[in-house]
Amino acid sequence: MIHHPPGPQWRATTVAIEDPGDLAAYLPPSGGHAWLRRGDGMVGIGEVARFEAGTIAEADEWWQDVCSRIEQETELPECCGTGPIAFASFVFDPAHSAQRSVVIVPRLVIGRRKGLTWLTSLGNARDRGATMPSVHPAPAATRGAQPVGESLGRDAWQGIVEAAVERIARGEVDKVVLARAVTLAAEEQLDPRSLVVRLAERYPTCWTYHVEGLVGASPEMLIRREGGLATSRVLAGTIRRNGGEELDLKLAHALARSGKNLIEHELAVESVAHALEPFCSGMNVPDAPYVLELPNVLHLASDVTAVAHPDVSVLRLAGELHPSAAVCGTPTPVARELIAELEHLDRGRYSGPVGWLDSSGDGEFAIALRCGLIDPVDSGRITLYAGCGIVAESDPAEEFAETEAKLLPMLEALGVPTPRH
């Protein structure tokens, strides 16, 4: 475990600023972090403290210790996200990954939320705060990214889906989520800023994020905690859009009545409600899902809400929820071991919690989906990930097609030509 806390006598100063415009424009060429949705969110610049390689529970304890060392000054009313914050990204399964989880405390944060805009600076107590950083020119789009490898080819990956269906039929597991990875190489170094800008523009209702080379736009909020209210959006059950309004409407109706997808969704919702129950009260679980429309796919979705216990942080809740049935399966321990056996893939931080938290324990963590990891050694390479839930009725060819649809956001952001259906 690696942890670098800020030194003694540190102060976080938050000041109101005029609307800064496009937050992504303030991302520096390196050392930047982002969390954006519908134009709101936060951009972090620089680093004053870091935690790596521990568990989510250890990270939560570390962050509480860090916050206890920081004196805070603000001229804004209390708002979720003002003051010192940390951006975080956790591996899916530490027992089967060579990658490290990471929590980063930025030196500067530019934020916009609920009509408020602010600048938070973190430094020595003798510092006088910070001025607005410069706007950086929008980076040029990536050129010439081409696939150069994958975790398993089409036939091999469909073969592990067949194996999973057989295990389900034998009663070993109810559902398991299987993923695949595709690696691309570009003619030049990849700039995460260009990916953030493209994803935020194309998928404004998703949560666009960049933390330590992991960049994506997730439609699935694992957990949000704000003012005591905890919310989790569950997505399970997917169909690729056709592009025509009339046909997409028919696809949405078919998805909402699909036995296979409804079973998959019910298992995911049950896993979230069961995990939250000991730490919340007044839980509301919808009776039926709704259809969430994204540019590339349609999802069955349910929003589970509850009142979080006062002493339970968003990071604690994320640790209790992860891994949910939406990215692992049920029963969770069996599904996790089956994933390690069948996938032939180090998921790393793909499908793990990614997001931010503040000093009051509020924050937002999505599931790291629709994402890619820029190679930390060769920044001209990026690995994209996609997965889908396997249940008894799953068809291997259809599941492969679902992963192809889920790769589209990152392929489009990379400027890779994609077929239209």
Side-chain angles (χ1 to χ4, degrees), residues 268-328:
V269 171
E270 285 178 356
S271 76
V272 166
H274 179 74
L276 286 179
E277 188 174 14
F279 308 96
C280 298
S281 61
M283 187 178 301
N284 178 48
V285 181
D287 293 330
Y290 62 93
V291 176
L292 177 68
E293 298 183 12
L294 297 177
N296 58 320
V297 294
L298 303 171
H299 289 294
L300 290 180
S302 293
D303 293 329
V304 178
T305 58
V307 178
H309 294 170
D311 59 343
V312 179
S313 72
V314 67
L315 193 50
R316 172 68 183 279
L317 292 174
E320 296 295 335
L321 284 170
H322 178 75
S324 71
V327 294
C328 182

Side-chain angles (χ1 to χ4, degrees), residues 57-106:
E58 290 169 336
D60 189 28
E61 183 178 346
W62 176 84
W63 174 242
Q64 292 179 44
D65 178 64
V66 167
C67 291
S68 71
R69 302 166 183 241
I70 301 173
E71 179 184 343
Q72 298 186 45
E73 294 183 359
T74 180
E75 59 184 44
L76 273 71
E78 185 176 343
C79 175
C80 182
T82 58
I85 71 164
F87 291 87
S89 174
F90 295 92
V91 297
F92 168 74
D93 185 356
H96 298 98
S97 178
Q99 296 185 33
R100 287 177 169 179
S101 300
V102 61
V103 183
I104 298 169
V105 184

Side-chain angles (χ1 to χ4, degrees), residues 159-184:
I160 69 169
V161 173
E162 291 177 353
V165 171
E166 291 176 1
R167 305 284 274 272
I168 293 169
R170 293 205 297 264
E172 297 179 21
V173 65
D174 297 321
K175 171 189 173 181
V176 62
V177 180
L178 295 177
R180 48 186 288 259
V182 178
T183 299
L184 295 93

Side-chain angles (χ1 to χ4, degrees), residues 97-421:
S97 178
Q99 296 185 33
R100 287 177 169 179
S101 300
V102 61
V103 183
I104 298 169
V105 184
R107 183 175 297 277
L108 293 176
V109 176
I110 304 171
R112 177 169 51 230
R113 185 180 176 85
K114 295 184 176 180
L116 297 176
T117 53
W118 68 88
L119 172 68
T120 296
S121 60
L122 183 57
N124 189 282
R126 295 187 298 271
D127 295 344
R128 294 188 176 183
T131 57
M132 281 291 292
S134 301
V135 172
H136 297 273
T142 302
R143 293 182 300 174
Q146 297 291 333
V148 294
E150 55 187 335
S151 57
L152 289 175
R154 178 194 296 262
D155 292 343
W157 192 83
Q158 290 181 182
I160 69 169
V161 173
E162 291 177 353
V165 171
E166 291 176 1
R167 305 284 274 272
I168 293 169
R170 293 205 297 264
E172 297 179 21
V173 65
D174 297 321
K175 171 189 173 181
V176 62
V177 180
L178 295 177
R180 48 186 288 259
V182 178
T183 299
L184 295 93
E187 298 175 357
E188 55 196 11
Q189 290 186 347
L190 294 166
D191 192 323
R193 295 176 299 167
S194 66
L195 300 176
V196 167
V197 169
R198 287 191 172 196
L199 290 168
E201 289 177 349
R202 176 70 170 154
Y203 297 89
T205 62
C206 293
W207 289 269
T208 297
Y209 56 89
H210 174 239
V211 179
E212 195 86 344
L214 185 73
V215 58
S218 178
E220 188 157 0
M221 176 58 64
L222 177 66
I223 189 69
R224 173 194 294 115
R225 183 185 185 275
E226 181 176 1
L229 182 65
T231 306
S232 180
R233 173 169 291 179
V234 182
L235 303 184
T238 305
I239 193 168
R240 184 170 182 170
R241 298 188 71 159
N242 177 272
E245 183 176 350
E246 184 176 348
L247 184 52
D248 280 348
L249 184 60
K250 292 180 180 178
L251 290 172
H253 286 311
L255 178 63
R257 293 192 297 268
S258 166
K260 176 262 181 188
N261 285 291
L262 287 170
I263 291 171
E264 180 186 345
H265 188 83
E266 182 180 356
L267 290 170
V269 171
E270 285 178 356
S271 76
V272 166
H274 179 74
L276 286 179
E277 188 174 14
F279 308 96
C280 298
S281 61
M283 187 178 301
N284 178 48
V285 181
D287 293 330
Y290 62 93
V291 176
L292 177 68
E293 298 183 12
L294 297 177
N296 58 320
V297 294
L298 303 171
H299 289 294
L300 290 180
S302 293
D303 293 329
V304 178
T305 58
V307 178
H309 294 170
D311 59 343
V312 179
S313 72
V314 67
L315 193 50
R316 172 68 183 279
L317 292 174
E320 296 295 335
L321 284 170
H322 178 75
S324 71
V327 294
C328 182
T330 53
T332 300
V334 180
R336 183 157 41 190
E337 290 305 313
L338 189 56
I339 288 169
E341 175 187 340
L342 295 179
E343 265 189 356
H344 303 283
L345 171 66
D346 182 349
R347 290 192 183 186
R349 290 182 282 146
Y350 161 70
S351 69
V354 60
W356 64 273
L357 70 159
D358 66 16
S359 59
S360 68
D362 284 345
E364 297 176 302
F365 278 86
I367 298 176
L369 305 174
R370 316 296 193 271
C371 64
L373 179 65
I374 298 174
D375 192 308
V377 177
D378 181 358
S379 59
R381 296 170 67 93
I382 185 170
T383 299
L384 313 184
Y385 304 86
C388 48
I390 310 303
V391 293
E393 295 81 4
S394 290
D395 176 84
E398 291 179 0
E399 301 298 346
F400 185 86
E402 181 176 323
T403 65
E404 292 282 275
K406 290 176 176 177
L407 289 170
L408 284 178
M410 288 303 299
L411 291 172
E412 291 172 348
L414 288 163
V416 178
T418 56
R420 298 294 178 184
H421 294 271

